[in-house]
Amino acid sequence: MRIIIAGAGEVGFHIAKLLANESQDIVVIDTDKEKLQKIEGLLDVMTYRGDAASFQLMEEINIEEADIFIAVTQLQNTNLMASLIAKKLGAKKVVARVTNPEFLERKNTLNLQRAGIDMLISPEELAANEIANLIEESVFNEMHSFGSGALNLFGVFLERKSKFIDHSVRGIAQRFGDRINFIPIFIIRSNDGETKSIIPRGDTVYREGDHVYFIALEDARNSIYEYLGKKNEDLSDVMILGGGRIGKKTVQILRQHKHNIKIIERDFAKAEDLADQFDDVLIIHGDGRDTDLLEEEGISELDAFVAVTGRSETNIMACLMAKSKGVKKTIALVENTEYLHLGQDIGIDGFINKKLMAANSVFKHVRKGKVLDVMNIFDFPAEVLEFRVKENSKIANKTIQEVNFPREAIIGGIIRKFQGIIPQKDFVILPHDRVVIFSRLEAIKKVEYLFS
C-alpha cells in the first residue's frame, strides 16, 4: 500500500514507525526539516518537505496513487484542509486528526464524511476514554473490547498473592473444565533488566511480576479477580492533575458516572475557565507536585489520581506521590513508550500514551478489509486483530487443530452470533465467525492468508 502521512510529530512518527515495520510504501510530509531528517535517519520511509494543505505539493507527490492519506499535524485546520484536497485529487481513503470535540459529534462526522473525509481521530479523546475505562475497572491496567464486549482483552500484572503464580496455563484451565472463560494470549516478563515476550502454551508457567494479557468472555471478570487475589473497587473520588484537553474530556466522561472530581491546574486563566465550565467540580489552582497542597486537598482519601499534564516526568512523579499516600489507583499520561511496561516496577497502575492509541485507531484502516479491529501491544512488535471469516476463507469449516496456524500467533477467542467463545482444539470455525488473534508482526501475513 502507498500511505502518505502529513505530520512528522509524535503521532505521525509512531504511525510511520509501525507501518515501516511492514514494508509499506510510506511518504511523510512536514514543514520542519529537522523532524523529517530524524524520521529519515530512523525509518525506511521517504520524506517530503512542504505544506500538506497545498494543491501543488499534493500533485508533486502523486497523491492520486495514495491508498491512504493520514493528516496528523498539530494544526486541526491543516489536517482537515489537506484531507479534503487529498480526497479531491484522488486519494482512496483519508484520515484526519482533530482536536475540537465538536467535530466528533455524529452529525458533524457525517457531514465531513459526505465531504470526503473517511475517518476522524482525536488522540486526546481516545486517551480520555481509556482513562475513564481504567477508573471504572480498578483491577486491570489495559483493556480493549471486541464485538461490543462479547470478548475483552485485559492486561494485568501478577502480584505475589495471585493464584496464577507457579501454575501452568494448562493447570489453571483444567480447574475450569469446559467452563473456561478466559485464556492468556501474551506474557511480558522482566528478569534482571531483560524483557522477553512469551506466547503462552499449555506448559507455560505464570511467574510473579508477569504482565499478562487475557482474552475473556463477558462473565470472566470474577474468575480472573479470584485468581489475581483482587476485587474490583468503586473508585468514586478522583483527582485529575492537568486541565488541558485530555483532563477536560476525562471530567466530562466521569461526570456521567457520578464521580466526585477535583482538578488541579497550574495556569490561573485555565483554572478560571474550568471553574466556569464545571460548576459541580472542585477546581484547585496550584502545582500538583506540591506535597502540602495535595495533603490539604485530602489526597490520602482519594480513590484514583490521574496525571495528564504535558510533561511525562511531572505525571509520573505526581502519581508516585499519590501512591505513597495510599491512593488505590494511579494513572499517568506519558509520551515515552519505554515507560509503558514499567508500571508494576515503579508503582503506577496505568500508563496512557495517546500516540499509540491514535496509531491503533488508524491501523484498522490500513489493514485489509477483513480486519474488523486491531490493537497494538504497546512498544512490542505484535498486534491483537479481529478477523471476519468469509465463505471461501482458507480457515472456514475447519477445526482449530486442522488449521496450519503459525507458532508466532494464537487464537484468543471467537465471536459467533454476538456470543463470545473460548474455543478448544476441536472447535470448528464457520463462515461469518469473528476471530480474535494475537500475532507477532512477522506472522501477520501468514494469518491474513488464512482468512483470504
Side-chain angles (χ1 to χ4, degrees), residues 86-117:
K87 192 72 169 188
K88 184 70 175 177
L89 295 181
K92 295 182 180 65
K93 185 173 287 187
V94 298
V95 179
R97 174 186 180 178
V98 295
T99 52
N100 186 342
E102 285 185 11
F103 284 103
L104 300 171
E105 294 175 9
R106 180 172 172 76
K107 61 178 182 179
N108 297 327
T109 300
L110 290 173
N111 287 333
L112 287 169
Q113 286 175 344
R114 292 189 191 102
I117 298 177

PDB file of all heavy atoms in Angstrom, residues 86-117:
ATOM      1  N   ALA A  86      -6.599  16.058  -0.594  1.00  0.00           N
ATOM      2  CA  ALA A  86      -6.126  14.715  -0.970  1.00  0.00           C
ATOM      3  C   ALA A  86      -7.250  13.886  -1.571  1.00  0.00           C
ATOM      4  O   ALA A  86      -7.078  13.197  -2.584  1.00  0.00           O
ATOM      5  CB  ALA A  86      -5.538  14.015   0.259  1.00  0.00           C
ATOM      6  N   LYS A  87      -8.427  13.969  -0.970  1.00  0.00           N
ATOM      7  CA  LYS A  87      -9.568  13.203  -1.475  1.00  0.00           C
ATOM      8  C   LYS A  87      -9.993  13.717  -2.851  1.00  0.00           C
ATOM      9  O   LYS A  87     -10.282  12.936  -3.771  1.00  0.00           O
ATOM     10  CB  LYS A  87     -10.732  13.314  -0.493  1.00  0.00           C
ATOM     11  CG  LYS A  87     -11.861  12.332  -0.764  1.00  0.00           C
ATOM     12  CD  LYS A  87     -11.446  10.905  -0.406  1.00  0.00           C
ATOM     13  CE  LYS A  87     -12.635   9.974  -0.409  1.00  0.00           C
ATOM     14  NZ  LYS A  87     -12.291   8.644   0.126  1.00  0.00           N
ATOM     15  N   LYS A  88     -10.008  15.035  -2.977  1.00  0.00           N
ATOM     16  CA  LYS A  88     -10.425  15.646  -4.244  1.00  0.00           C
ATOM     17  C   LYS A  88      -9.492  15.241  -5.374  1.00  0.00           C
ATOM     18  O   LYS A  88      -9.934  15.030  -6.517  1.00  0.00           O
ATOM     19  CB  LYS A  88     -10.422  17.175  -4.084  1.00  0.00           C
ATOM     20  CG  LYS A  88     -10.936  17.941  -5.284  1.00  0.00           C
ATOM     21  CD  LYS A  88     -12.423  17.755  -5.461  1.00  0.00           C
ATOM     22  CE  LYS A  88     -12.966  18.616  -6.594  1.00  0.00           C
ATOM     23  NZ  LYS A  88     -14.409  18.386  -6.833  1.00  0.00           N
ATOM     24  N   LEU A  89      -8.193  15.073  -5.048  1.00  0.00           N
ATOM     25  CA  LEU A  89      -7.209  14.749  -6.087  1.00  0.00           C
ATOM     26  C   LEU A  89      -7.010  13.250  -6.296  1.00  0.00           C
ATOM     27  O   LEU A  89      -6.151  12.842  -7.065  1.00  0.00           O
ATOM     28  CB  LEU A  89      -5.868  15.407  -5.752  1.00  0.00           C
ATOM     29  CG  LEU A  89      -5.870  16.946  -5.766  1.00  0.00           C
ATOM     30  CD1 LEU A  89      -4.480  17.477  -5.443  1.00  0.00           C
ATOM     31  CD2 LEU A  89      -6.325  17.473  -7.128  1.00  0.00           C
ATOM     32  N   GLY A  90      -7.782  12.435  -5.556  1.00  0.00           N
ATOM     33  CA  GLY A  90      -7.777  11.011  -5.899  1.00  0.00           C
ATOM     34  C   GLY A  90      -7.319  10.037  -4.841  1.00  0.00           C
ATOM     35  O   GLY A  90      -7.285   8.821  -5.100  1.00  0.00           O
ATOM     36  N   ALA A  91      -6.942  10.472  -3.648  1.00  0.00           N
ATOM     37  CA  ALA A  91      -6.573   9.526  -2.587  1.00  0.00           C
ATOM     38  C   ALA A  91      -7.783   8.647  -2.264  1.00  0.00           C
ATOM     39  O   ALA A  91      -8.904   9.138  -2.140  1.00  0.00           O
ATOM     40  CB  ALA A  91      -6.109  10.268  -1.341  1.00  0.00           C
ATOM     41  N   LYS A  92      -7.544   7.342  -2.113  1.00  0.00           N
ATOM     42  CA  LYS A  92      -8.670   6.416  -1.925  1.00  0.00           C
ATOM     43  C   LYS A  92      -9.335   6.586  -0.565  1.00  0.00           C
ATOM     44  O   LYS A  92     -10.547   6.518  -0.440  1.00  0.00           O
ATOM     45  CB  LYS A  92      -8.184   4.980  -2.114  1.00  0.00           C
ATOM     46  CG  LYS A  92      -7.706   4.662  -3.518  1.00  0.00           C
ATOM     47  CD  LYS A  92      -7.285   3.194  -3.628  1.00  0.00           C
ATOM     48  CE  LYS A  92      -6.803   2.869  -5.040  1.00  0.00           C
ATOM     49  NZ  LYS A  92      -5.557   3.601  -5.389  1.00  0.00           N
ATOM     50  N   LYS A  93      -8.544   6.755   0.489  1.00  0.00           N
ATOM     51  CA  LYS A  93      -9.094   6.894   1.831  1.00  0.00           C
ATOM     52  C   LYS A  93      -8.311   7.969   2.567  1.00  0.00           C
ATOM     53  O   LYS A  93      -7.085   8.025   2.465  1.00  0.00           O
ATOM     54  CB  LYS A  93      -9.013   5.566   2.582  1.00  0.00           C
ATOM     55  CG  LYS A  93      -9.660   5.573   3.953  1.00  0.00           C
ATOM     56  CD  LYS A  93      -9.674   4.170   4.550  1.00  0.00           C
ATOM     57  CE  LYS A  93     -10.698   3.292   3.844  1.00  0.00           C
ATOM     58  NZ  LYS A  93     -10.852   1.976   4.509  1.00  0.00           N
ATOM     59  N   VAL A  94      -9.003   8.832   3.328  1.00  0.00           N
ATOM     60  CA  VAL A  94      -8.312   9.894   4.057  1.00  0.00           C
ATOM     61  C   VAL A  94      -8.728   9.882   5.527  1.00  0.00           C
ATOM     62  O   VAL A  94      -9.891   9.627   5.860  1.00  0.00           O
ATOM     63  CB  VAL A  94      -8.561  11.285   3.438  1.00  0.00           C
ATOM     64  CG1 VAL A  94      -8.040  11.343   2.021  1.00  0.00           C
ATOM     65  CG2 VAL A  94     -10.023  11.669   3.489  1.00  0.00           C
ATOM     66  N   VAL A  95      -7.755  10.163   6.378  1.00  0.00           N
ATOM     67  CA  VAL A  95      -7.953  10.184   7.830  1.00  0.00           C
ATOM     68  C   VAL A  95      -7.405  11.506   8.352  1.00  0.00           C
ATOM     69  O   VAL A  95      -6.296  11.907   7.995  1.00  0.00           O
ATOM     70  CB  VAL A  95      -7.213   9.013   8.505  1.00  0.00           C
ATOM     71  CG1 VAL A  95      -7.402   9.055  10.019  1.00  0.00           C
ATOM     72  CG2 VAL A  95      -7.669   7.671   7.944  1.00  0.00           C
ATOM     73  N   ALA A  96      -8.163  12.194   9.205  1.00  0.00           N
ATOM     74  CA  ALA A  96      -7.735  13.500   9.723  1.00  0.00           C
ATOM     75  C   ALA A  96      -7.772  13.514  11.244  1.00  0.00           C
ATOM     76  O   ALA A  96      -8.733  13.039  11.867  1.00  0.00           O
ATOM     77  CB  ALA A  96      -8.621  14.614   9.174  1.00  0.00           C
ATOM     78  N   ARG A  97      -6.727  14.089  11.828  1.00  0.00           N
ATOM     79  CA  ARG A  97      -6.674  14.291  13.277  1.00  0.00           C
ATOM     80  C   ARG A  97      -7.348  15.614  13.622  1.00  0.00           C
ATOM     81  O   ARG A  97      -7.087  16.636  12.992  1.00  0.00           O
ATOM     82  CB  ARG A  97      -5.221  14.322  13.743  1.00  0.00           C
ATOM     83  CG  ARG A  97      -5.025  14.677  15.208  1.00  0.00           C
ATOM     84  CD  ARG A  97      -3.554  14.820  15.541  1.00  0.00           C
ATOM     85  NE  ARG A  97      -3.346  15.152  16.940  1.00  0.00           N
ATOM     86  CZ  ARG A  97      -2.149  15.290  17.504  1.00  0.00           C
ATOM     87  NH1 ARG A  97      -1.049  15.143  16.780  1.00  0.00           N
ATOM     88  NH2 ARG A  97      -2.047  15.581  18.795  1.00  0.00           N
ATOM     89  N   VAL A  98      -8.225  15.578  14.645  1.00  0.00           N
ATOM     90  CA  VAL A  98      -8.893  16.806  15.087  1.00  0.00           C
ATOM     91  C   VAL A  98      -8.716  16.972  16.592  1.00  0.00           C
ATOM     92  O   VAL A  98      -8.458  16.001  17.311  1.00  0.00           O
ATOM     93  CB  VAL A  98     -10.403  16.795  14.740  1.00  0.00           C
ATOM     94  CG1 VAL A  98     -10.601  16.795  13.235  1.00  0.00           C
ATOM     95  CG2 VAL A  98     -11.106  15.609  15.382  1.00  0.00           C
ATOM     96  N   THR A  99      -8.859  18.201  17.057  1.00  0.00           N
ATOM     97  CA  THR A  99      -8.775  18.488  18.489  1.00  0.00           C
ATOM     98  C   THR A  99     -10.081  19.025  19.044  1.00  0.00           C
ATOM     99  O   THR A  99     -10.364  18.881  20.232  1.00  0.00           O
ATOM    100  CB  THR A  99      -7.656  19.516  18.771  1.00  0.00           C
ATOM    101  OG1 THR A  99      -7.844  20.661  17.934  1.00  0.00           O
ATOM    102  CG2 THR A  99      -6.291  18.913  18.478  1.00  0.00           C
ATOM    103  N   ASN A 100     -10.887  19.644  18.194  1.00  0.00           N
ATOM    104  CA  ASN A 100     -12.170  20.196  18.641  1.00  0.00           C
ATOM    105  C   ASN A 100     -13.191  19.062  18.788  1.00  0.00           C
ATOM    106  O   ASN A 100     -13.537  18.398  17.806  1.00  0.00           O
ATOM    107  CB  ASN A 100     -12.677  21.216  17.613  1.00  0.00           C
ATOM    108  CG  ASN A 100     -13.920  21.928  18.091  1.00  0.00           C
ATOM    109  OD1 ASN A 100     -14.616  21.476  18.999  1.00  0.00           O
ATOM    110  ND2 ASN A 100     -14.221  23.068  17.481  1.00  0.00           N
ATOM    111  N   PRO A 101     -13.703  18.828  20.005  1.00  0.00           N
ATOM    112  CA  PRO A 101     -14.640  17.711  20.209  1.00  0.00           C
ATOM    113  C   PRO A 101     -15.929  17.843  19.413  1.00  0.00           C
ATOM    114  O   PRO A 101     -16.612  16.842  19.170  1.00  0.00           O
ATOM    115  CB  PRO A 101     -14.912  17.755  21.724  1.00  0.00           C
ATOM    116  CG  PRO A 101     -14.516  19.126  22.170  1.00  0.00           C
ATOM    117  CD  PRO A 101     -13.412  19.553  21.258  1.00  0.00           C
ATOM    118  N   GLU A 102     -16.261  19.048  18.969  1.00  0.00           N
ATOM    119  CA  GLU A 102     -17.482  19.226  18.167  1.00  0.00           C
ATOM    120  C   GLU A 102     -17.430  18.398  16.882  1.00  0.00           C
ATOM    121  O   GLU A 102     -18.459  17.900  16.415  1.00  0.00           O
ATOM    122  CB  GLU A 102     -17.665  20.701  17.799  1.00  0.00           C
ATOM    123  CG  GLU A 102     -18.139  21.572  18.941  1.00  0.00           C
ATOM    124  CD  GLU A 102     -18.417  22.988  18.480  1.00  0.00           C
ATOM    125  OE1 GLU A 102     -18.442  23.227  17.255  1.00  0.00           O
ATOM    126  OE2 GLU A 102     -18.598  23.857  19.345  1.00  0.00           O
ATOM    127  N   PHE A 103     -16.236  18.251  16.314  1.00  0.00           N
ATOM    128  CA  PHE A 103     -16.108  17.514  15.058  1.00  0.00           C
ATOM    129  C   PHE A 103     -16.427  16.028  15.236  1.00  0.00           C
ATOM    130  O   PHE A 103     -16.719  15.334  14.269  1.00  0.00           O
ATOM    131  CB  PHE A 103     -14.700  17.668  14.484  1.00  0.00           C
ATOM    132  CG  PHE A 103     -14.459  19.003  13.833  1.00  0.00           C
ATOM    133  CD1 PHE A 103     -13.741  19.983  14.477  1.00  0.00           C
ATOM    134  CD2 PHE A 103     -14.968  19.274  12.577  1.00  0.00           C
ATOM    135  CE1 PHE A 103     -13.510  21.221  13.886  1.00  0.00           C
ATOM    136  CE2 PHE A 103     -14.754  20.504  11.977  1.00  0.00           C
ATOM    137  CZ  PHE A 103     -14.029  21.480  12.633  1.00  0.00           C
ATOM    138  N   LEU A 104     -16.344  15.530  16.482  1.00  0.00           N
ATOM    139  CA  LEU A 104     -16.563  14.117  16.735  1.00  0.00           C
ATOM    140  C   LEU A 104     -18.023  13.794  17.030  1.00  0.00           C
ATOM    141  O   LEU A 104     -18.374  12.628  17.202  1.00  0.00           O
ATOM    142  CB  LEU A 104     -15.685  13.647  17.906  1.00  0.00           C
ATOM    143  CG  LEU A 104     -14.178  13.823  17.665  1.00  0.00           C
ATOM    144  CD1 LEU A 104     -13.405  13.541  18.941  1.00  0.00           C
ATOM    145  CD2 LEU A 104     -13.690  12.916  16.550  1.00  0.00           C
ATOM    146  N   GLU A 105     -18.861  14.830  17.093  1.00  0.00           N
ATOM    147  CA  GLU A 105     -20.294  14.586  17.245  1.00  0.00           C
ATOM    148  C   GLU A 105     -20.838  13.973  15.964  1.00  0.00           C
ATOM    149  O   GLU A 105     -20.422  14.323  14.864  1.00  0.00           O
ATOM    150  CB  GLU A 105     -21.023  15.896  17.562  1.00  0.00           C
ATOM    151  CG  GLU A 105     -20.638  16.481  18.908  1.00  0.00           C
ATOM    152  CD  GLU A 105     -21.279  17.839  19.150  1.00  0.00           C
ATOM    153  OE1 GLU A 105     -22.153  18.234  18.337  1.00  0.00           O
ATOM    154  OE2 GLU A 105     -20.906  18.505  20.128  1.00  0.00           O
ATOM    155  N   ARG A 106     -21.777  13.067  16.125  1.00  0.00           N
ATOM    156  CA  ARG A 106     -22.231  12.251  14.990  1.00  0.00           C
ATOM    157  C   ARG A 106     -22.680  13.083  13.792  1.00  0.00           C
ATOM    158  O   ARG A 106     -22.290  12.812  12.653  1.00  0.00           O
ATOM    159  CB  ARG A 106     -23.376  11.334  15.448  1.00  0.00           C
ATOM    160  CG  ARG A 106     -23.915  10.454  14.332  1.00  0.00           C
ATOM    161  CD  ARG A 106     -24.886   9.431  14.820  1.00  0.00           C
ATOM    162  NE  ARG A 106     -25.509   8.732  13.719  1.00  0.00           N
ATOM    163  CZ  ARG A 106     -24.944   7.792  12.984  1.00  0.00           C
ATOM    164  NH1 ARG A 106     -23.707   7.444  13.221  1.00  0.00           N
ATOM    165  NH2 ARG A 106     -25.590   7.201  12.002  1.00  0.00           N
ATOM    166  N   LYS A 107     -23.455  14.133  14.030  1.00  0.00           N
ATOM    167  CA  LYS A 107     -23.978  14.918  12.904  1.00  0.00           C
ATOM    168  C   LYS A 107     -22.829  15.589  12.136  1.00  0.00           C
ATOM    169  O   LYS A 107     -22.856  15.666  10.895  1.00  0.00           O
ATOM    170  CB  LYS A 107     -24.977  15.960  13.392  1.00  0.00           C
ATOM    171  CG  LYS A 107     -24.402  16.976  14.370  1.00  0.00           C
ATOM    172  CD  LYS A 107     -25.447  18.007  14.783  1.00  0.00           C
ATOM    173  CE  LYS A 107     -24.825  19.030  15.732  1.00  0.00           C
ATOM    174  NZ  LYS A 107     -25.803  20.070  16.145  1.00  0.00           N
ATOM    175  N   ASN A 108     -21.817  16.060  12.864  1.00  0.00           N
ATOM    176  CA  ASN A 108     -20.691  16.718  12.203  1.00  0.00           C
ATOM    177  C   ASN A 108     -19.791  15.707  11.496  1.00  0.00           C
ATOM    178  O   ASN A 108     -19.252  15.994  10.422  1.00  0.00           O
ATOM    179  CB  ASN A 108     -19.889  17.530  13.218  1.00  0.00           C
ATOM    180  CG  ASN A 108     -20.713  18.644  13.827  1.00  0.00           C
ATOM    181  OD1 ASN A 108     -21.584  19.207  13.169  1.00  0.00           O
ATOM    182  ND2 ASN A 108     -20.466  18.955  15.091  1.00  0.00           N
ATOM    183  N   THR A 109     -19.624  14.546  12.109  1.00  0.00           N
ATOM    184  CA  THR A 109     -18.829  13.488  11.481  1.00  0.00           C
ATOM    185  C   THR A 109     -19.447  13.072  10.158  1.00  0.00           C
ATOM    186  O   THR A 109     -18.753  12.884   9.156  1.00  0.00           O
ATOM    187  CB  THR A 109     -18.723  12.263  12.421  1.00  0.00           C
ATOM    188  OG1 THR A 109     -18.097  12.663  13.639  1.00  0.00           O
ATOM    189  CG2 THR A 109     -17.898  11.160  11.788  1.00  0.00           C
ATOM    190  N   LEU A 110     -20.782  12.951  10.146  1.00  0.00           N
ATOM    191  CA  LEU A 110     -21.471  12.559   8.916  1.00  0.00           C
ATOM    192  C   LEU A 110     -21.293  13.616   7.831  1.00  0.00           C
ATOM    193  O   LEU A 110     -21.109  13.292   6.650  1.00  0.00           O
ATOM    194  CB  LEU A 110     -22.958  12.331   9.200  1.00  0.00           C
ATOM    195  CG  LEU A 110     -23.295  11.091  10.039  1.00  0.00           C
ATOM    196  CD1 LEU A 110     -24.774  11.075  10.401  1.00  0.00           C
ATOM    197  CD2 LEU A 110     -22.915   9.817   9.295  1.00  0.00           C
ATOM    198  N   ASN A 111     -21.344  14.883   8.221  1.00  0.00           N
ATOM    199  CA  ASN A 111     -21.156  15.956   7.243  1.00  0.00           C
ATOM    200  C   ASN A 111     -19.761  15.900   6.630  1.00  0.00           C
ATOM    201  O   ASN A 111     -19.580  16.096   5.422  1.00  0.00           O
ATOM    202  CB  ASN A 111     -21.382  17.318   7.899  1.00  0.00           C
ATOM    203  CG  ASN A 111     -22.854  17.584   8.182  1.00  0.00           C
ATOM    204  OD1 ASN A 111     -23.726  17.054   7.485  1.00  0.00           O
ATOM    205  ND2 ASN A 111     -23.143  18.386   9.193  1.00  0.00           N
ATOM    206  N   LEU A 112     -18.740  15.644   7.465  1.00  0.00           N
ATOM    207  CA  LEU A 112     -17.368  15.565   6.959  1.00  0.00           C
ATOM    208  C   LEU A 112     -17.171  14.328   6.090  1.00  0.00           C
ATOM    209  O   LEU A 112     -16.416  14.349   5.122  1.00  0.00           O
ATOM    210  CB  LEU A 112     -16.381  15.574   8.127  1.00  0.00           C
ATOM    211  CG  LEU A 112     -16.220  16.941   8.811  1.00  0.00           C
ATOM    212  CD1 LEU A 112     -15.447  16.806  10.110  1.00  0.00           C
ATOM    213  CD2 LEU A 112     -15.512  17.927   7.884  1.00  0.00           C
ATOM    214  N   GLN A 113     -17.856  13.247   6.439  1.00  0.00           N
ATOM    215  CA  GLN A 113     -17.777  12.042   5.599  1.00  0.00           C
ATOM    216  C   GLN A 113     -18.376  12.305   4.230  1.00  0.00           C
ATOM    217  O   GLN A 113     -17.851  11.853   3.215  1.00  0.00           O
ATOM    218  CB  GLN A 113     -18.485  10.873   6.295  1.00  0.00           C
ATOM    219  CG  GLN A 113     -17.688  10.301   7.461  1.00  0.00           C
ATOM    220  CD  GLN A 113     -18.452   9.218   8.208  1.00  0.00           C
ATOM    221  OE1 GLN A 113     -19.669   9.080   8.062  1.00  0.00           O
ATOM    222  NE2 GLN A 113     -17.739   8.465   9.018  1.00  0.00           N
ATOM    223  N   ARG A 114     -19.464  13.050   4.208  1.00  0.00           N
ATOM    224  CA  ARG A 114     -20.065  13.398   2.908  1.00  0.00           C
ATOM    225  C   ARG A 114     -19.124  14.270   2.093  1.00  0.00           C
ATOM    226  O   ARG A 114     -19.094  14.205   0.873  1.00  0.00           O
ATOM    227  CB  ARG A 114     -21.395  14.139   3.132  1.00  0.00           C
ATOM    228  CG  ARG A 114     -22.497  13.276   3.728  1.00  0.00           C
ATOM    229  CD  ARG A 114     -23.836  13.994   3.719  1.00  0.00           C
ATOM    230  NE  ARG A 114     -24.819  13.281   4.518  1.00  0.00           N
ATOM    231  CZ  ARG A 114     -25.186  13.646   5.741  1.00  0.00           C
ATOM    232  NH1 ARG A 114     -24.671  14.733   6.289  1.00  0.00           N
ATOM    233  NH2 ARG A 114     -26.084  12.947   6.415  1.00  0.00           N
ATOM    234  N   ALA A 115     -18.310  15.078   2.797  1.00  0.00           N
ATOM    235  CA  ALA A 115     -17.343  15.940   2.103  1.00  0.00           C
ATOM    236  C   ALA A 115     -16.132  15.161   1.613  1.00  0.00           C
ATOM    237  O   ALA A 115     -15.370  15.662   0.783  1.00  0.00           O
ATOM    238  CB  ALA A 115     -16.896  17.066   3.038  1.00  0.00           C
ATOM    239  N   GLY A 116     -15.962  13.933   2.147  1.00  0.00           N
ATOM    240  CA  GLY A 116     -14.875  13.099   1.647  1.00  0.00           C
ATOM    241  C   GLY A 116     -13.885  12.607   2.680  1.00  0.00           C
ATOM    242  O   GLY A 116     -12.976  11.845   2.343  1.00  0.00           O
ATOM    243  N   ILE A 117     -14.020  13.024   3.934  1.00  0.00           N
ATOM    244  CA  ILE A 117     -13.094  12.551   4.973  1.00  0.00           C
ATOM    245  C   ILE A 117     -13.645  11.256   5.564  1.00  0.00           C
ATOM    246  O   ILE A 117     -14.729  11.234   6.144  1.00  0.00           O
ATOM    247  CB  ILE A 117     -12.888  13.622   6.065  1.00  0.00           C
ATOM    248  CG1 ILE A 117     -12.254  14.870   5.445  1.00  0.00           C
ATOM    249  CG2 ILE A 117     -12.026  13.081   7.192  1.00  0.00           C
ATOM    250  CD1 ILE A 117     -12.069  16.017   6.408  1.00  0.00           C
TER     251      ILE A 117
END
